[in-house]
């Protein structure tokens, strides 16, 4: 890191894999507060390693609260959990299985299966066991192949309810046009996809922290060449990025009077690997400021819980524990 220029906070990265590496370095070695707008690894729950790391997204494990609420709401009795064999998803799948098993108010038969690269055998097993309510923990890289195999086994449509976290993008480069069409058919006809990406606030004419209304923000994005469909793949995170910048700005602004009361200022901060007492105190104030932040953004309302910045959707088709359920459509 170039220490000749002082950086008080870091925005990004978006990817969990990159954020787990960068986040531990900035927290432990550079004494810097960092905010990602989409990283959601369960690793960030380790506050010893990631004491100064925040994310707009909850960890994937937090989605399990919504799953449990849905199971109770609809009184489902048989549920399957399928996951890619990756530490990111294995722990989450096992956590959901244990939550189901240990909840005395639930009476659910649960089948849990993992796979490495090819989901064919696992999906065949689910179909043989007539599993219709299925939770899938898979990455954006694995998603196209997964949904192609769902199509090949006719495991979509109103007979099935699929739950999985939303993805940012699909890489369809190595698929034929026929396969791409089949992926779209399976995905566009699958119900219950879980996500917390961009759903605008209830009152689109409310003046938000940025001084803009949601309507004005959308018009600005459109004028820059953006698609006015806020659920299209290319648009999913633009509101989060915009609100992340305002979150950092608000944290910095809130810290100034606190630092002044201690005869300190942001100018006293240093990124040197040899951390001074002044820099440590300033970083703690910035951390506390970001931890206590609360505002309505262009995409969501924000609040903090357990040192992670979470997003609570204000409007959606269904609301469960701050997460949204919606019928996903790939463009």
């Amino acid at each position: 890191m170039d220490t000749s220029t002082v950086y008080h906070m870091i925005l990004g990265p978006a990817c969990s894999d990159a954020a787990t590496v960068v986040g531990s370095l900035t927290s432990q070695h550079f004494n810097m507060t960092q905010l990602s707008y989409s990283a959601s690894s369960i690793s960030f729950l380790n506050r010893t390693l990631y004491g100064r790391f925040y994310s707009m997204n909850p960890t994937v494990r937090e989605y399990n609260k919504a799953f449990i609420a849905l199971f109770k709401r609809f009184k489902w009795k048989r549920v399957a959990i399928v996951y890619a064999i990756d530490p990111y998803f294995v722990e989450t799948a096992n956590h959901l299985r244990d939550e189901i098993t240990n909840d005395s108010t639930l009476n659910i038969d649960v089948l849990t299966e993992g796979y490495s690269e090819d989901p064919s055998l696992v999906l065949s097993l689910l179909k043989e066991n007539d599993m219709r309510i299925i939770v899938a923990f898979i990455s954006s890289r694995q998603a196209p192949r997964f949904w192609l195999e769902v199509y090949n086994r006719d495991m979509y449509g109103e007979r099935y309810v699929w739950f999985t976290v939303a993805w940012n993008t699909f890489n369809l480069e190595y698929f034929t046009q026929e396969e791409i069409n089949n992926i779209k058919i399976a995905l566009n006809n699958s119900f219950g996809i879980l996500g917390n990406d961009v759903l605008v606030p209830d009152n689109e004419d409310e003046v938000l922290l940025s001084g803009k209304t949601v309507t004005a923000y959308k018009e600005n994005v459109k004028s820059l060449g953006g698609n006015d469909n806020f659920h299209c793949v290319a648009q999913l995170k633009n509101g989060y990025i915009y609100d992340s910048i305002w979150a950092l700005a608000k944290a910095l602004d809130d810290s100034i009077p606190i630092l002044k009361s201690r005869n300190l200022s942001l100018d006293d901060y240093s990124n040197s690997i040899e951390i001074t007492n002044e820099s440590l105190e300033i970083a703690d104030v910035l951390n506390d400021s970001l931890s206590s932040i609360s505002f309505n953004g262009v995409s969501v309302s924000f609040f903090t819980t357990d040192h992670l910045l979470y997003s609570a959707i204000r409007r959606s088709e269904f609301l469960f524990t701050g997460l949204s359920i919606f019928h996903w459509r790939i463009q």
Side-chain angles (χ1 to χ4, degrees):
M1 177 182 285
D2 176 15
T3 57
S4 61
T5 301
V6 175
Y7 302 96
H8 296 94
M9 291 178 167
I10 295 178
L11 175 63
C15 172
S16 289
D17 288 342
T20 52
V21 176
V22 178
S24 63
L25 289 173
T26 55
S27 289
Q28 295 186 77
H29 300 294
F30 292 100
N31 192 40
M32 293 184 69
T33 299
Q34 180 178 353
L35 174 61
S36 170
Y37 50 85
S38 62
S40 57
S41 172
I42 59 172
S43 300
F44 304 134
L45 295 175
N46 184 338
R47 302 313 292 175
T48 300
L49 290 178
Y50 301 97
R52 301 198 185 282
F53 183 89
Y54 297 80
S55 180
M56 289 291 190
N57 263 356
T59 61
V60 175
R61 195 171 74 175
E62 288 297 312
Y63 286 81
N64 289 346
K65 297 177 182 178
F67 293 138
I68 295 295
L70 284 165
F71 299 158
K72 291 181 178 180
R73 169 75 173 270
F74 295 105
K75 298 180 172 60
W76 287 319
K77 298 301 180 184
R78 302 180 72 243
V79 173
I81 303 171
V82 58
Y83 59 92
I85 298 177
D86 177 288
Y88 187 57
F89 297 122
V90 171
E91 193 275 349
T92 307
N94 290 338
H95 176 265
L96 178 58
R97 179 201 61 205
D98 294 342
E99 288 290 297
I100 295 172
T101 303
N102 296 330
D103 192 327
S104 60
T105 65
L106 292 172
N107 183 22
I108 295 178
D109 292 329
V110 58
L111 174 64
T112 307
E113 294 290 337
Y115 74 96
S116 53
E117 290 295 329
D118 186 355
S120 302
L121 292 177
V122 167
L123 290 173
S124 295
L125 178 63
L126 298 188
K127 187 166 186 178
E128 289 171 8
N129 283 273
D130 196 30
M131 305 304 294
R132 303 294 182 91
I133 313 299
I134 307 170
V135 178
F137 294 110
I138 55 177
S139 69
S140 58
R141 178 184 64 82
Q142 297 154 329
R145 174 70 183 279
F146 185 90
W147 285 104
L148 180 60
E149 296 303 330
V150 167
Y151 173 86
N152 291 338
R153 284 158 183 75
D154 194 28
M155 295 175 68
Y156 59 92
E158 295 183 358
R159 296 171 302 150
Y160 290 87
V161 177
W162 285 94
F163 290 111
T164 186
V165 296
W167 313 282
N168 295 335
T169 58
F170 278 168
N171 183 358
L172 301 174
E173 180 181 357
Y174 301 105
F175 294 86
T176 67
Q177 188 58 53
E178 181 182 3
E179 290 174 330
I180 291 173
N181 292 338
N182 292 341
I183 291 169
K184 290 182 178 181
I185 290 171
L187 192 55
N188 291 344
N189 290 281
S190 294
F191 296 84
I193 305 301
L194 178 72
N196 68 330
D197 288 302
V198 174
L199 293 176
V200 299
D202 289 320
N203 184 0
E204 296 197 7
D205 294 321
E206 177 186 355
V207 178
L208 306 175
L209 177 66
S210 63
K212 292 181 181 292
T213 63
V214 174
T215 301
Y217 172 76
K218 291 169 68 175
E219 289 300 319
N220 186 43
V221 171
K222 190 176 180 180
S223 71
L224 296 172
N227 189 317
D228 60 0
N229 175 9
F230 264 42
H231 286 174
C232 77
V233 171
Q235 292 282 102
L236 282 179
K237 294 299 180 185
N238 62 15
Y240 271 178
I241 299 169
Y242 184 83
D243 287 335
S244 295
I245 295 170
W246 279 99
L248 293 179
K250 180 169 172 54
L252 285 166
D253 190 59
D254 290 347
S255 70
I256 291 174
I258 299 173
L259 294 173
K260 187 176 180 180
S261 70
R262 303 182 185 183
N263 295 318
L264 291 170
S265 75
L266 292 173
D267 293 335
D268 297 319
Y269 187 74
S270 170
N271 296 131
S272 172
I273 200 166
E274 297 179 0
I275 300 172
T276 64
N277 290 334
E278 290 81 3
S279 292
L280 183 61
E281 186 173 357
I282 293 169
D284 287 342
V285 170
L286 292 173
N287 243 34
D288 292 342
S289 296
L290 193 57
S291 294
S292 59
I293 205 168
S294 176
F295 69 96
N296 291 339
V298 298
S299 54
V300 292
S301 297
F302 296 103
F303 62 97
T304 51
T305 303
D306 297 333
H307 304 288
L308 292 177
L309 194 63
Y310 287 152
S311 53
I313 306 302
R314 298 174 64 195
R315 184 179 72 185
S316 60
E317 294 176 26
F318 302 98
L319 283 180
F320 291 94
T321 63
L323 301 175
S324 64
I325 313 300
F326 61 89
H327 181 196
W328 180 271
R329 287 198 174 277
I330 185 172
Q331 303 300 308

